[in-house]
Amino acid sequence: MNNEKFVELCKGYVVDYANAFMNLTSINPPAYITTNDVYVVWLNRTLQNNKALLSTTISDGMYYEVTYNGDKNELYFDAYKHVVNREFKLGDN
């Protein structure tokens, strides 16, 4: 699967998930996202496999990982919630 087709497929799955499961009701009236609200953070293709990390314009701390297994023609979808971001100062080396 080429990158353009894979990204289009990924964005569709993210939209479907976000609109079905995420709490978007804090916006009055409730809003739903489209593929225009989804962006790719990272994308990789190795041999017949693809992987993408995606996020949306919603400030909800969610990010998504979609993997295509070309050997089995299977797509795996993971949704994650950003929990913490800390800075650690490292010594000079």
Side-chain angles (χ1 to χ4, degrees), residues 59-75:
S59 298
D60 61 0
M62 292 295 296
Y63 70 97
Y64 305 91
E65 178 181 322
V66 184
T67 305
Y68 173 69
N69 181 334
D71 290 332
K72 296 182 179 181
N73 196 31
E74 295 177 341
L75 194 74

Side-chain angles (χ1 to χ4, degrees), residues 20 24-28 32 34-35 37 41-42 47 61 63-64 68 70 82-84:
L24 302 177
T25 58
S26 61
I27 303 169
N28 195 5
Y32 295 93
T34 69
T35 56
D37 301 303
V41 176
W42 179 83
L47 299 174
Y63 70 97
Y64 305 91
Y68 173 69
H82 181 88
V83 177
V84 67

Side-chain angles (χ1 to χ4, degrees), residues 52-93:
L53 300 179
L54 304 103
S55 191
T56 71
T57 56
I58 301 169
S59 298
D60 61 0
M62 292 295 296
Y63 70 97
Y64 305 91
E65 178 181 322
V66 184
T67 305
Y68 173 69
N69 181 334
D71 290 332
K72 296 182 179 181
N73 196 31
E74 295 177 341
L75 194 74
Y76 313 113
F77 179 89
D78 297 296
Y80 299 96
K81 178 84 172 178
H82 181 88
V83 177
V84 67
N85 182 347
R86 285 192 206 167
E87 178 181 325
F88 295 93
K89 297 289 184 186
L90 304 177
D92 293 336
N93 289 329

